[in-house]
Amino acid sequence: MRPEKQTPQKRELVLATGNADKVREMNRSLSALGYIVTSQRDLGVEDAVEDGLSFIENSLIKARHASRITGLPSVADDSGITVDALGGAPGIYSARYADKNGDGNGDDQANNDLLLENMRDIPVADRGAQFVCVLSYVQHPDDPLPIIAQGVWRGSLLFEERGTEGFGYDPIFWVPTHKLASAELTPEVKRNISHRAQALDLLCKQLSEPA
């Protein structure tokens, strides 16, 4: 009698977010590598205090925090938009750029309105911008060799909103390769070319390399 084929055991990984869409996206990419991704919210982990000065620092803070609380390997995402004419702003403060109450809560529409206002007199040639995503993976909270994967999606800022897909700054981000706003791209196209897609692809490649 032929022995039954053994199914490789999945390795649990905590994603330092409560965003269900990000969890699904991460599971799609990492399941082939033997991982099953769980949201930190489902494991009762509260958000970390993001007091770093860069995307990398904040990503690592979140990953180490989730790993410390759960005892599991962890991945964290930190992302935002940087604008050349504003010296890289909003940068790490992208989600709370127009935060008027100081409570850290973001409002997509208010953020877009403020950025457009601050860029109102900047000509087309000087409206360069980029979405940035940094993914950090740690095997344990004190991992001295974290995996860092960074994706950069270059484009420019529009003068007004276009499109209804996506979220955040998508309606005012022009994608020159497709001659559309990010919010006019289909989810399938965006998943293949975005900053997060680039970072996730790099992370998967590094996780699949032999130890």
Side-chain angles (χ1 to χ4, degrees):
M1 183 175 179
R2 196 178 286 178
E4 291 185 9
K5 186 177 181 181
Q6 296 296 312
T7 302
Q9 187 173 2
K10 292 284 187 180
R11 293 168 285 178
E12 190 173 5
L13 183 70
V14 59
L15 181 61
T17 185
N19 187 309
D21 289 333
K22 288 184 179 180
V23 174
R24 281 192 291 270
E25 183 178 24
M26 195 70 69
N27 263 315
R28 273 197 305 267
S29 298
L30 295 183
S31 61
L33 301 179
Y35 291 96
I36 181 168
V37 181
T38 303
S39 164
Q40 70 172 17
R41 180 175 295 173
D42 292 339
L43 298 176
V45 179
E46 295 184 357
D47 292 341
V49 176
E50 299 177 44
D51 54 3
L53 299 178
S54 68
F55 293 113
I56 292 176
E57 288 178 283
N58 281 337
S59 179
L60 274 172
I61 286 170
K62 290 186 280 189
R64 294 191 189 283
H65 172 77
S67 181
R68 182 169 289 109
I69 301 300
T70 63
L72 295 169
S74 174
V75 170
D77 161 304
D78 200 57
S79 55
I81 192 169
T82 69
V83 181
D84 300 346
L86 299 179
I92 60 172
Y93 305 107
S94 294
R96 52 190 187 275
Y97 188 47
D99 177 17
K100 297 178 180 178
N101 301 319
D103 57 9
N105 293 322
D107 180 315
D108 287 352
Q109 189 61 58
N111 289 338
N112 284 337
D113 290 344
L114 179 59
L115 187 52
L116 287 176
E117 174 61 25
N118 290 340
M119 291 291 291
R120 181 178 56 184
D121 299 324
I122 305 299
V124 173
D126 298 323
R127 298 178 71 88
Q130 58 194 356
F131 275 125
V132 178
C133 175
V134 172
L135 293 174
S136 295
Y137 167 88
V138 294
Q139 296 187 64
H140 54 82
D142 300 313
D143 190 347
L145 290 173
I147 293 176
I148 307 294
Q150 179 172 296
V152 176
W153 193 18
R154 186 70 182 170
S156 62
L157 288 185
L158 293 162
F159 286 90
E160 59 184 19
E161 294 187 359
R162 290 177 51 166
T164 58
E165 296 289 344
F167 58 93
Y169 296 94
D170 284 341
I172 60 174
F173 184 75
W174 178 250
V175 183
T177 54
H178 291 65
K179 294 184 172 27
L180 293 170
S182 178
E184 294 176 304
L185 298 174
T186 65
E188 292 74 22
V189 169
K190 187 180 175 187
R191 275 198 295 267
N192 287 324
I193 67 174
S194 74
H195 51 309
R196 185 166 289 107
Q198 296 175 41
L200 189 51
D201 184 54
L202 288 173
L203 178 66
C204 289
K205 287 178 180 176
Q206 292 183 75
L207 286 175
S208 64
E209 292 176 354

